[in-house]
Amino acid sequence: NAGVTQTPKFQVLKTGQSMTLQCAQDMNHEYMSWYRQDPGMGLRLIHYSVGAGITDQGEVPNGYNVSRSTTEDFPLRLLSAAPSQTSVYFCASSYSSGGAGGAGNTIYFGEGSWLTVV
Amino acid sequence: AQTVTQSQPEMSVQEAETVTLSCTYDTSENNYYLFWYKQPPSRQMILVIRQEAYKQQNATENRFSVNFQKAAKSFSLKISDSQLGDTAMYFCAFMHPNTGTASKLTFGTGTRLQVTL
């Protein structure tokens, strides 16, 4: 049971380069999201998706792009990397419990992707 | 917008003792979920415990329990019989359960817990 799989686990980029962080889940979850974690801070939401073809911005979306062409995959694209994007990135997925307004109340996280922009 | 505050950046407890981590939050919603996540040095996010706001009974999971005070918007985590493996960062998180916001968590800044011999 793979759960939420993120690749790559580690990446070093030069300023201005582009790259894509991959996220895949095999649990048929409707909801997927991307967070970043910086030193001294909790995770902050970058983008999220409530289903294939539907995405929206979170708290810190600038500099990132997402798309959701399938239920399983939710890639995060950095179009022109900047040192301020050095962080640990987490992908998460969840399903709707069907209760309390349809909340996805069990959220599964990937193992994180360490990104350094020099 | 919701905010989550963890006012204890670091805490220390001796093995086998009990420790309580504090969390307060601000929201105008009446129905929501609260979580405690553990993050060991590996950075893996591990769900410790979950509380549904419409349930008055405090959640418990083995050695972990919460004190949920809805009126005071307080959600503290108590760890009993602390073990060395409990050493980690602990994050409090809030989620409003409307469709479209599920999987949108608001996190506190974390409390680093050190369990000592």
Side-chain angles (χ1 to χ4, degrees):
Chain A
N1 187 6
V4 180
T5 302
Q6 291 183 232
T7 56
K9 194 170 180 69
F10 299 97
Q11 183 73 48
V12 179
L13 282 179
K14 293 183 178 179
T15 298
Q17 284 185 320
S18 63
M19 77 155 299
T20 300
L21 297 176
Q22 302 290 347
C23 176
Q25 51 91 7
D26 61 357
M27 298 171 281
N28 201 32
H29 285 172
E30 300 166 90
Y31 304 117
M32 296 186 74
S33 50
W34 277 102
Y35 294 84
R36 61 177 288 174
Q37 184 179 22
D38 301 307
M41 304 185 74
L43 280 67
R44 292 183 293 166
L45 183 66
I46 304 171
H47 285 285
Y48 66 99
S49 169
V50 300
I54 306 170
T55 64
D56 206 347
Q57 296 180 351
E59 181 185 353
V60 287
N62 293 338
Y64 306 95
N65 248 359
V66 292
S67 60
R68 185 98 179 268
S69 57
T70 67
T71 299
E72 295 77 20
D73 300 301
F74 190 45
L76 179 71
R77 298 182 185 85
L78 284 70
L79 301 178
S80 178
S84 61
Q85 293 178 302
T86 294
S87 190
V88 183
Y89 291 84
F90 289 92
C91 180
S93 73
S94 63
Y95 61 91
S96 170
S97 70
N105 61 2
T106 298
I107 298 172
Y108 298 81
F109 282 89
E111 294 186 343
S113 296
W114 275 249
L115 176 65
T116 301
V117 183
V118 298
Chain B
Q2 290 79 23
T3 59
V4 177
T5 301
Q6 294 179 249
S7 59
Q8 305 153 314
E10 296 184 356
M11 294 193 72
S12 181
V13 63
Q14 286 191 320
E15 197 177 24
E17 296 297 309
T18 296
V19 64
T20 298
L21 308 183
S22 300
C23 173
T24 59
Y25 59 93
D26 187 27
T27 183
S28 59
E29 304 294 339
N30 187 52
N31 192 25
Y32 46 87
Y33 290 88
L34 294 164
F35 305 84
W36 278 98
Y37 280 91
K38 171 185 178 182
Q39 188 179 51
S42 67
R43 293 291 191 119
Q44 184 181 2
M45 294 293 289
I46 302 167
L47 178 64
V48 175
I49 202 164
R50 175 180 63 226
Q51 175 78 43
E52 297 161 348
Y54 62 89
K55 291 185 177 179
Q56 293 192 351
Q57 185 174 6
N58 288 327
T60 63
E61 289 287 343
N62 300 315
R63 298 183 294 107
F64 299 88
S65 62
V66 298
N67 183 6
F68 173 49
Q69 301 289 328
K70 190 173 183 179
K73 296 180 182 175
S74 171
F75 183 60
S76 60
L77 174 69
K78 185 172 79 171
I79 305 174
S80 304
D81 186 25
S82 296
Q83 301 175 359
L84 294 177
D86 295 334
T87 294
M89 281 288 287
Y90 287 82
F91 291 99
C92 179
F94 172 101
M95 185 179 75
H96 184 257
N98 277 345
T99 301
T101 63
S103 193
K104 289 178 63 178
L105 289 167
T106 300
F107 285 86
T109 52
T111 296
R112 185 176 303 279
L113 177 66
Q114 181 72 47
V115 181
T116 60
L117 291 171

